[in-house]
Amino acid sequence: MEETIAGTEAVQIPQQRGESLLDTAVRYAEERHWDVFPGTWLEAVDGVQRCSCGHASCPAPGAHPARPDWATQATGSATVARRMWQKQPTASILLPTGRTFDALSVPESAGFLALARMERMELTLGPVTLAPDRRMHFFVLPGACVKVADLVRKLGWSLSSLDLVPLGEGGYVAAPPTRFGSRGAVQWACRPTPANRWLPDVEELISPLAYACGRDR
Protein backbone atom coordinates (compact mmCIF):
# COMPACT_ATOMS: atom_id res chain seq x y z
CA MET A 1 0.00 0.00 0.00
CA GLU A 2 1.12 3.58 -0.62
CA GLU A 3 3.08 5.89 1.57
CA THR A 4 1.29 8.73 3.31
CA ILE A 5 0.63 11.72 1.09
CA ALA A 6 2.82 14.76 1.69
CA GLY A 7 1.44 18.03 0.42
CA THR A 8 -1.94 19.02 -0.97
CA GLU A 9 -1.68 18.30 -4.69
CA ALA A 10 -3.37 15.10 -5.75
CA VAL A 11 -1.16 14.88 -8.85
CA GLN A 12 1.76 14.06 -6.57
CA ILE A 13 0.03 11.07 -5.02
CA PRO A 14 1.63 7.77 -6.03
CA GLN A 15 -0.72 5.18 -7.50
CA GLN A 16 -0.83 1.49 -6.70
CA ARG A 17 0.86 -0.41 -9.51
CA GLY A 18 1.20 -4.03 -10.45
CA GLU A 19 -1.61 -5.26 -8.23
CA SER A 20 -5.02 -6.29 -9.53
CA LEU A 21 -8.31 -5.22 -8.02
CA LEU A 22 -8.88 -8.86 -7.10
CA ASP A 23 -5.60 -9.12 -5.19
CA THR A 24 -6.23 -5.82 -3.43
CA ALA A 25 -9.78 -6.74 -2.39
CA VAL A 26 -8.55 -10.08 -1.03
CA ARG A 27 -5.79 -8.30 0.89
CA TYR A 28 -8.26 -5.89 2.51
CA ALA A 29 -10.34 -8.84 3.74
CA GLU A 30 -7.38 -10.99 4.71
CA GLU A 31 -5.03 -8.45 6.29
CA ARG A 32 -7.35 -5.73 7.59
CA HIS A 33 -10.44 -7.89 8.21
CA TRP A 34 -12.55 -5.34 6.32
CA ASP A 35 -15.77 -6.37 4.62
CA VAL A 36 -15.59 -5.75 0.88
CA PHE A 37 -18.02 -5.94 -2.01
CA PRO A 38 -17.68 -5.39 -5.77
CA GLY A 39 -19.33 -2.31 -7.22
CA THR A 40 -19.80 -1.07 -10.76
CA TRP A 41 -16.96 -0.94 -13.27
CA LEU A 42 -15.89 1.10 -16.27
CA GLU A 43 -16.67 0.13 -19.85
CA ALA A 44 -15.37 1.75 -23.03
CA VAL A 45 -18.30 3.10 -25.07
CA ASP A 46 -17.35 4.87 -28.31
CA GLY A 47 -13.90 5.48 -26.87
CA VAL A 48 -15.29 7.00 -23.64
CA GLN A 49 -15.13 5.35 -20.21
CA ARG A 50 -18.72 4.88 -19.02
CA CYS A 51 -20.14 3.35 -15.87
CA SER A 52 -21.49 -0.18 -16.14
CA CYS A 53 -24.77 1.11 -14.63
CA GLY A 54 -25.57 2.58 -18.05
CA HIS A 55 -26.29 6.14 -16.91
CA ALA A 56 -24.35 8.64 -19.04
CA SER A 57 -24.49 11.23 -16.25
CA CYS A 58 -23.49 8.85 -13.44
CA PRO A 59 -21.96 11.00 -10.63
CA ALA A 60 -19.51 8.27 -9.57
CA PRO A 61 -18.80 6.24 -12.72
CA GLY A 62 -17.37 2.85 -11.86
CA ALA A 63 -17.40 3.52 -8.13
CA HIS A 64 -20.81 2.79 -6.62
CA PRO A 65 -22.85 -0.32 -5.73
CA ALA A 66 -24.00 -2.40 -8.69
CA ARG A 67 -27.08 -3.85 -6.99
CA PRO A 68 -29.58 -2.71 -4.35
CA ASP A 69 -28.82 -5.60 -2.00
CA TRP A 70 -25.11 -4.77 -1.83
CA ALA A 71 -25.11 -4.81 1.98
CA THR A 72 -25.90 -8.53 2.00
CA GLN A 73 -23.20 -9.15 -0.59
CA ALA A 74 -20.38 -7.64 1.48
CA THR A 75 -17.99 -10.21 2.90
CA GLY A 76 -15.01 -10.40 5.20
CA SER A 77 -13.94 -13.74 3.71
CA ALA A 78 -10.88 -13.57 1.48
CA THR A 79 -12.06 -16.73 -0.30
CA VAL A 80 -15.48 -15.28 -1.09
CA ALA A 81 -13.93 -11.95 -2.13
CA ARG A 82 -11.62 -13.76 -4.55
CA ARG A 83 -14.57 -15.61 -6.04
CA MET A 84 -16.58 -12.39 -6.53
CA TRP A 85 -13.78 -10.51 -8.28
CA GLN A 86 -12.96 -13.52 -10.44
CA LYS A 87 -16.48 -13.12 -11.85
CA GLN A 88 -15.90 -9.40 -12.57
CA PRO A 89 -12.16 -8.54 -12.34
CA THR A 90 -12.64 -4.84 -13.12
CA ALA A 91 -15.32 -4.20 -10.47
CA SER A 92 -14.61 -1.37 -8.04
CA ILE A 93 -13.69 -2.17 -4.44
CA LEU A 94 -16.24 -0.80 -1.99
CA LEU A 95 -16.08 -1.01 1.81
CA PRO A 96 -19.30 -0.87 3.86
CA THR A 97 -19.21 1.49 6.82
CA GLY A 98 -20.83 0.80 10.17
CA ARG A 99 -19.18 -2.60 10.53
CA THR A 100 -15.45 -2.65 11.27
CA PHE A 101 -15.23 1.12 10.90
CA ASP A 102 -17.21 4.32 10.36
CA ALA A 103 -15.86 7.13 8.20
CA LEU A 104 -15.89 10.92 8.47
CA SER A 105 -16.18 12.49 5.02
CA VAL A 106 -14.85 16.03 4.52
CA PRO A 107 -13.79 18.20 1.55
CA GLU A 108 -10.23 17.61 0.36
CA SER A 109 -9.10 21.12 1.35
CA ALA A 110 -10.42 20.71 4.90
CA GLY A 111 -8.99 17.20 5.09
CA PHE A 112 -5.43 18.31 4.34
CA LEU A 113 -5.76 21.19 6.82
CA ALA A 114 -6.97 18.72 9.46
CA LEU A 115 -4.13 16.29 8.67
CA ALA A 116 -1.55 19.01 9.24
CA ARG A 117 -3.22 19.98 12.52
CA MET A 118 -3.41 16.35 13.64
CA GLU A 119 0.28 15.89 12.92
CA ARG A 120 1.12 18.87 15.14
CA MET A 121 -1.13 17.40 17.84
CA GLU A 122 0.66 14.04 17.41
CA LEU A 123 -2.63 12.21 17.03
CA THR A 124 -2.65 8.59 15.91
CA LEU A 125 -4.68 8.31 12.72
CA GLY A 126 -6.45 5.42 11.11
CA PRO A 127 -6.42 5.03 7.33
CA VAL A 128 -7.59 8.04 5.29
CA THR A 129 -8.66 7.93 1.64
CA LEU A 130 -8.66 10.70 -0.95
CA ALA A 131 -11.15 10.26 -3.80
CA PRO A 132 -11.24 11.99 -7.20
CA ASP A 133 -14.51 13.71 -6.17
CA ARG A 134 -12.26 15.74 -3.84
CA ARG A 135 -13.53 14.13 -0.65
CA MET A 136 -11.40 12.62 2.10
CA HIS A 137 -12.60 9.84 4.40
CA PHE A 138 -11.12 9.37 7.87
CA PHE A 139 -11.63 5.85 9.25
CA VAL A 140 -12.71 5.72 12.91
CA LEU A 141 -14.23 3.17 15.26
CA PRO A 142 -17.86 2.16 14.58
CA GLY A 143 -20.51 4.17 16.37
CA ALA A 144 -19.26 7.58 15.26
CA CYS A 145 -22.51 8.50 13.54
CA VAL A 146 -24.49 8.68 16.77
CA LYS A 147 -21.86 10.84 18.47
CA VAL A 148 -20.82 13.40 15.85
CA ALA A 149 -23.67 15.92 16.11
CA ASP A 150 -23.34 16.21 19.89
CA LEU A 151 -19.53 16.40 19.75
CA VAL A 152 -19.65 19.15 17.13
CA ARG A 153 -22.26 21.06 19.16
CA LYS A 154 -19.97 20.99 22.22
CA LEU A 155 -17.27 22.59 20.06
CA GLY A 156 -19.60 25.49 19.22
CA TRP A 157 -20.75 24.34 15.78
CA SER A 158 -23.90 22.79 14.36
CA LEU A 159 -23.34 19.78 12.14
CA SER A 160 -25.60 21.29 9.46
CA SER A 161 -23.24 24.27 9.16
CA LEU A 162 -20.21 22.09 8.39
CA ASP A 163 -19.45 19.92 5.37
CA LEU A 164 -18.63 17.00 7.65
CA VAL A 165 -20.57 13.83 6.89
CA PRO A 166 -20.40 10.75 9.14
CA LEU A 167 -20.84 7.46 7.32
CA GLY A 168 -22.08 4.50 9.32
CA GLU A 169 -24.50 1.62 8.79
CA GLY A 170 -25.89 1.69 5.26
CA GLY A 171 -22.98 3.72 3.88
CA TYR A 172 -19.80 2.79 2.05
CA VAL A 173 -16.51 4.21 0.83
CA ALA A 174 -14.60 3.40 -2.34
CA ALA A 175 -11.18 1.92 -1.64
CA PRO A 176 -7.91 2.34 -3.55
CA PRO A 177 -7.26 1.72 -6.40
CA THR A 178 -10.91 2.11 -7.53
CA ARG A 179 -11.24 4.58 -10.40
CA PHE A 180 -13.88 7.33 -10.79
CA GLY A 181 -14.32 7.39 -14.56
CA SER A 182 -11.66 9.55 -16.20
CA ARG A 183 -11.10 11.58 -13.01
CA GLY A 184 -8.52 9.19 -11.57
CA ALA A 185 -8.24 6.65 -8.79
CA VAL A 186 -8.93 6.67 -5.07
CA GLN A 187 -5.65 7.02 -3.16
CA TRP A 188 -4.47 6.65 0.42
CA ALA A 189 -3.85 9.97 2.17
CA CYS A 190 -2.83 7.88 5.19
CA ARG A 191 -2.13 4.28 4.30
CA PRO A 192 -3.17 1.24 6.36
CA THR A 193 -0.23 0.02 8.44
CA PRO A 194 0.22 -2.33 11.39
CA ALA A 195 0.49 0.79 13.57
CA ASN A 196 -3.02 2.03 12.74
CA ARG A 197 -4.80 -1.33 12.80
CA TRP A 198 -6.49 -0.07 15.99
CA LEU A 199 -8.67 2.79 14.84
CA PRO A 200 -9.11 6.07 16.73
CA ASP A 201 -12.41 6.98 18.32
CA VAL A 202 -14.30 9.87 16.72
CA GLU A 203 -13.70 11.95 19.90
CA GLU A 204 -9.97 12.00 19.11
CA LEU A 205 -10.35 13.49 15.62
CA ILE A 206 -13.50 15.59 15.75
CA SER A 207 -11.91 18.81 17.03
CA PRO A 208 -9.33 19.26 14.23
CA LEU A 209 -11.83 18.06 11.62
CA ALA A 210 -14.57 20.46 12.77
CA TYR A 211 -12.06 23.31 12.96
CA ALA A 212 -10.82 22.59 9.43
CA CYS A 213 -14.35 22.33 8.04
CA GLY A 214 -15.28 25.59 9.75
CA ARG A 215 -12.27 27.32 8.16
CA ASP A 216 -13.18 25.79 4.79
CA ARG A 217 -16.73 27.17 4.64
Side-chain angles (χ1 to χ4, degrees), residues 198-213:
W198 300 105
L199 299 175
D201 202 311
V202 62
E203 283 95 334
E204 300 173 56
L205 305 188
I206 196 64
S207 176
L209 281 172
Y211 170 81
C213 288

Side-chain angles (χ1 to χ4, degrees), residues 56-133:
S57 58
C58 178
H64 65 84
R67 42 195 280 185
D69 64 342
W70 61 264
T72 63
Q73 189 185 22
T75 180
S77 165
T79 301
V80 175
R82 183 178 298 279
R83 190 180 307 132
M84 289 194 293
W85 267 271
Q86 283 174 338
K87 292 180 180 178
Q88 183 48 254
T90 58
S92 53
I93 302 173
L94 305 180
L95 311 175
T97 52
R99 299 187 182 189
T100 52
F101 64 86
D102 280 4
L104 303 176
S105 175
V106 300
E108 175 188 305
S109 52
F112 278 116
L113 179 61
L115 280 176
R117 192 173 179 87
M118 290 171 186
E119 184 177 353
R120 291 194 299 272
M121 296 170 69
E122 299 183 347
L123 295 179
T124 301
L125 290 174
V128 182
T129 63
L130 170 60
D133 61 357

Side-chain angles (χ1 to χ4, degrees), residues 23 31 43 55 63-64 81 88 101 158 181 187 195 201-202 205 216:
D23 290 337
E31 296 180 9
E43 299 175 333
H55 296 292
H64 65 84
Q88 183 48 254
F101 64 86
S158 67
Q187 306 288 343
D201 202 311
V202 62
L205 305 188
D216 196 55

Side-chain angles (χ1 to χ4, degrees), residues 5-175:
I5 296 171
T8 59
E9 296 187 18
V11 294
Q12 297 178 344
I13 301 168
Q15 296 187 8
Q16 288 182 327
R17 300 184 186 278
E19 188 170 43
S20 69
L21 288 159
L22 184 155
D23 290 337
T24 306
V26 167
R27 215 155 41 81
Y28 289 151
E30 199 166 52
E31 296 180 9
R32 300 299 294 197
H33 305 294
W34 290 339
D35 282 7
V36 298
F37 68 97
T40 52
W41 56 91
L42 296 173
E43 299 175 333
V45 180
D46 297 327
V48 178
Q49 292 288 335
R50 297 284 177 82
C51 185
S52 62
C53 72
H55 296 292
S57 58
C58 178
H64 65 84
R67 42 195 280 185
D69 64 342
W70 61 264
T72 63
Q73 189 185 22
T75 180
S77 165
T79 301
V80 175
R82 183 178 298 279
R83 190 180 307 132
M84 289 194 293
W85 267 271
Q86 283 174 338
K87 292 180 180 178
Q88 183 48 254
T90 58
S92 53
I93 302 173
L94 305 180
L95 311 175
T97 52
R99 299 187 182 189
T100 52
F101 64 86
D102 280 4
L104 303 176
S105 175
V106 300
E108 175 188 305
S109 52
F112 278 116
L113 179 61
L115 280 176
R117 192 173 179 87
M118 290 171 186
E119 184 177 353
R120 291 194 299 272
M121 296 170 69
E122 299 183 347
L123 295 179
T124 301
L125 290 174
V128 182
T129 63
L130 170 60
D133 61 357
R134 305 186 75 83
R135 302 290 297 185
M136 294 178 75
H137 297 88
F138 290 72
F139 290 22
V140 294
L141 288 172
C145 281
V146 299
K147 302 177 183 178
V148 168
D150 188 51
L151 291 171
V152 168
R153 191 178 307 112
K154 289 178 180 177
L155 293 170
W157 304 93
S158 67
L159 190 58
S160 61
S161 70
L162 301 178
D163 190 359
L164 193 165
V165 182
L167 299 172
E169 187 175 357
Y172 66 90
V173 297

